[in-house]
């Protein structure tokens, strides 16, 4: 009987230690979803900081539209912003170059 009780106690202790170790690992090692959301948060902060340094209101409006509607086609953007297509493409290229220079 004593041996059986000792074995049960040992089994309970092992289960408790294993549960504690699993809980500690989950606490201190972020999962993939946490890392992805952290990267998205960092990227969002980058976009906010970049938006603040844009020199003209026109560039800010175009950038804001691109962030709000990432899947929109150029024609939709031009109609929404009331810009000619060539002007929009020029400003879009300008934004891209500014972002690359800023991000370095």
């Amino acid at each position: 009987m004593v041996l059986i009780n000792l074995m049960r106690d040992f089994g309970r202790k092992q289960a408790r230690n294993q549960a504690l170790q699993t809980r500690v690992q989950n606490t201190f090692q972020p999962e993939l979803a946490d890392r992805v959301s952290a990267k998205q948060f960092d990227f969002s902060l980058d976009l906010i900081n970049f938006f603040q340094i844009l020199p003209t209101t026109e560039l800010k409006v175009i950038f804001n539209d691109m962030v709000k509607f990432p899947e929109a086609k150029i024609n939709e953007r031009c109609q929404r912003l009331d810009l000619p297509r060539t002007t929009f493409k020029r400003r879009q290229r300008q934004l891209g170059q500014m972002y690359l220079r800023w991000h370095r």
Side-chain angles (χ1 to χ4, degrees):
M1 231 21 205
V2 172
L3 186 59
I4 291 174
N5 286 337
L6 284 174
M7 293 298 287
R8 285 181 183 161
D9 287 344
F10 181 74
R12 285 189 209 118
K13 183 178 178 181
Q14 290 290 67
R16 208 170 40 243
N17 285 341
Q18 184 66 30
L20 178 63
Q21 186 177 17
T22 303
R23 215 172 329 141
V24 167
Q25 284 178 348
N26 288 341
T27 302
F28 293 112
Q29 293 180 350
E31 295 180 12
L32 180 61
D34 293 339
R35 286 181 281 195
V36 168
S37 64
K39 283 184 180 182
Q40 288 174 343
F41 180 72
D42 290 342
F43 183 66
S44 296
L45 286 179
D46 277 351
L47 291 180
I48 290 169
N49 291 333
F50 179 68
F51 178 79
Q52 291 174 349
I53 66 157
L54 291 175
T56 64
T57 306
E58 183 183 34
L59 288 176
K60 287 182 179 187
V61 168
I62 292 171
F63 182 77
N64 197 23
D65 186 73
M66 291 170 68
V67 170
K68 281 186 180 178
F69 306 103
E71 301 294 322
K73 296 186 178 4
I74 292 175
N75 290 337
E76 295 171 8
R77 290 186 198 282
C78 291
Q79 285 178 346
R80 192 169 33 246
L81 299 172
D82 195 28
L83 285 173
R85 186 181 173 94
T86 53
T87 304
F88 175 79
K89 291 295 284 181
R90 193 177 318 119
R91 299 294 184 257
Q92 186 182 32
R93 193 173 20 239
Q94 184 181 4
L95 279 170
Q97 291 170 351
M98 287 176 67
Y99 182 78
L100 289 177
R101 272 187 259 127
W102 174 79
H103 197 265
R104 288 182 189 168

